[in-house]
Amino acid sequence: MTEDQEQTQQAATAVLPKPQQRARHYLMCRPTHFDVCYSINPWMNPELATSNERAQLQWQALYDTLAGLGHRVEVLEPTPGLPDMVFAANGATVIDGKALVAKFRHPERDGESAAYLDWFDAHGYQSVQQAGCYNEGEGDLLYTGQVLLAGTGFRTDSASHAEAQKFFDVPVVSLRLVMPTFYHLDTALAVLNTEEIMYYPPAFSDESQQVLRELYPDAILASDDDATVFGLNAVSDGLNVVLPELATGLAGQLRERGYQPIGVDLTELLKAGGSSKCCVLELRQATLSA
C-alpha cells in the first residue's frame, strides 16, 4: 500500500462508527456425521484422513466461544448421510424473521434443505420459502443490515439475487467470484458491521472489485496468507470477530480498528472447505412460537 493510499484509508477509517457488540441469535449443527467422502470443492480430498472426534471438539469450542460472548445459540439435529450439514450457514438466509431456505447445487447436499424447512416450521416461522434458483444461503448471501451482498460464480445462481431481493425487500449488490478455492462469498468476504467489511480482492472479478472499492473504500483487505487459511470466514457481532487463529495478519488489522479478534482452530473442518462462519447461520429478528 502506498503512502497516499494509507492516508486515504486512515481518513476514511476516522469517520467509521466505533465497534459495538450486539446480541445475536445463531443456529448451528453438530458435526456428528462429518467426513470427507466426496469432493465438491477444491479443499475436499476423500483420500486425506479426517477425524470426526477432532471435528466435534473444534466445533464445540466454536459453540462455547459464541455462547460465552452472550449470544443465543440453537442447534439443529444433524441428519445421517449428510456430512456437510455442519456448515449451517449454507442452509438458509434469515432477515426480519423471514427464512429463504437453500437450494443446493450439488446432489450430495440436496437433502439438507428439508431439514431446514422442518426446523423453521417447528420453531414457528411464518414466512419460509425454499429458493427456486440455486442459492446456498449465507454462504453467498451476506446481510449488512443495509444491503444484501450476494455472491455468484460457483454455487449460487445470479438469478437467485433477484429472488432474494423480492423475498426480503432489501437492496441486493451482486458480486462475482472468480477463484475456485473461494467458491462461496463467505470465504472471501466478511461483514463486520453495517458499514465495514473485510475481503480478499483477487477472489472477485475486476468489476466486483470496483463495486467493493466504491461501497467500502475503508475495507480491511486480506493478504494471500490470511485468505488461504480462511481468515475471512469469520463471525462478527459488531465488536468480537471469531476467525481462524492462523489469520494473524487479519487479527492485527482488526485490533487496529477497535475490534476484538478471537482465534479458533477449525482446521479439521477446513478439510471440507469450511471454517467459523460456515458453521453459523444468523437468525435475524426471528419471531418464534411461544
Side-chain angles (χ1 to χ4, degrees):
M1 183 180 292
T2 67
E3 184 177 347
D4 288 344
Q5 288 174 323
E6 288 181 352
Q7 291 175 350
T8 300
Q9 188 174 66
Q10 290 171 0
T13 303
V15 300
L16 288 172
K18 182 179 179 180
Q20 185 173 1
Q21 182 183 26
R22 180 173 63 80
R24 309 294 175 117
H25 184 187
Y26 296 128
L27 180 65
M28 297 178 66
C29 182
R30 297 183 187 279
T32 306
H33 310 293
F34 175 76
D35 195 5
V36 179
C37 49
Y38 51 75
S39 180
I40 59 174
N41 69 56
W43 300 87
M44 303 179 81
N45 181 359
E47 297 182 0
L48 183 66
T50 57
S51 169
N52 182 274
E53 180 181 7
R54 188 177 299 115
Q56 294 203 53
L57 289 172
Q58 291 178 354
W59 180 94
Q60 187 65 51
L62 175 62
Y63 175 96
D64 291 344
T65 296
L66 295 172
L69 291 171
H71 303 303
R72 179 182 179 186
V73 187
E74 299 196 61
V75 178
L76 171 67
E77 186 67 24
T79 301
L82 297 175
D84 282 340
M85 202 166 163
V86 61
F87 301 126
N90 304 156
T93 306
V94 183
I95 301 173
D96 294 336
K98 301 175 67 175
L100 184 61
V101 174
K103 178 179 180 180
F104 289 92
R105 181 169 293 276
H106 294 286
E108 290 88 346
R109 299 196 65 181
D110 189 54
E112 297 178 34
S113 297
Y116 285 92
L117 288 167
D118 289 345
W119 191 89
F120 287 118
D121 180 63
H123 288 76
Y125 285 73
Q126 299 300 309
S127 184
V128 180
Q129 174 181 306
Q130 183 173 6
C133 306
Y134 288 125
N135 171 341
E136 301 207 350
E138 281 196 322
D140 275 321
L141 300 178
L142 298 177
Y143 188 52
T144 70
Q146 298 177 339
V147 300
L148 192 62
L149 301 177
T152 189
F154 296 102
R155 296 293 188 86
T156 295
D157 282 347
S158 58
S160 73
H161 297 176
E163 181 181 31
Q165 180 169 301
K166 181 178 180 180
F167 182 73
F168 292 119
D169 191 26
V170 298
V172 170
V173 175
S174 294
L175 301 168
R176 179 164 293 276
L177 298 162
V178 296
M179 296 180 67
T181 47
F182 301 97
Y183 59 94
H184 274 152
L185 183 62
D186 70 353
T187 68
L189 184 152
V191 174
L192 299 174
N193 59 38
T194 57
E195 298 181 36
E196 196 166 12
I197 68 168
M198 56 183 184
Y199 70 101
Y200 181 54
F204 297 90
S205 68
D206 291 343
E207 294 80 4
S208 293
Q209 289 185 47
Q210 180 61 31
V211 169
L212 289 169
R213 283 194 296 267
E214 292 174 358
L215 289 176
Y216 303 101
D218 55 333
I220 294 174
L221 304 183
S223 67
D224 294 346
D225 289 343
D226 285 337
T228 54
V229 295
F230 263 34
L232 292 162
N233 196 242
V235 181
S236 173
D237 63 15
L239 173 62
N240 303 288
V241 183
V242 181
L243 75 168
E245 62 185 9
L246 294 176
T248 55
L250 276 177
Q253 291 188 78
L254 287 164
R255 289 190 191 95
E256 291 175 358
R257 298 287 183 97
Y259 292 96
Q260 297 180 7
I262 301 173
V264 293
D265 178 12
L266 289 171
T267 49
E268 200 63 27
L269 295 178
L270 184 56
K271 294 177 181 178
S275 193
S276 311
K277 174 55 189 166
C278 287
C279 294
V280 181
L281 171 62
E282 185 167 354
L283 305 175
R284 297 175 183 85
Q285 299 181 25
T287 302
L288 305 180
S289 57

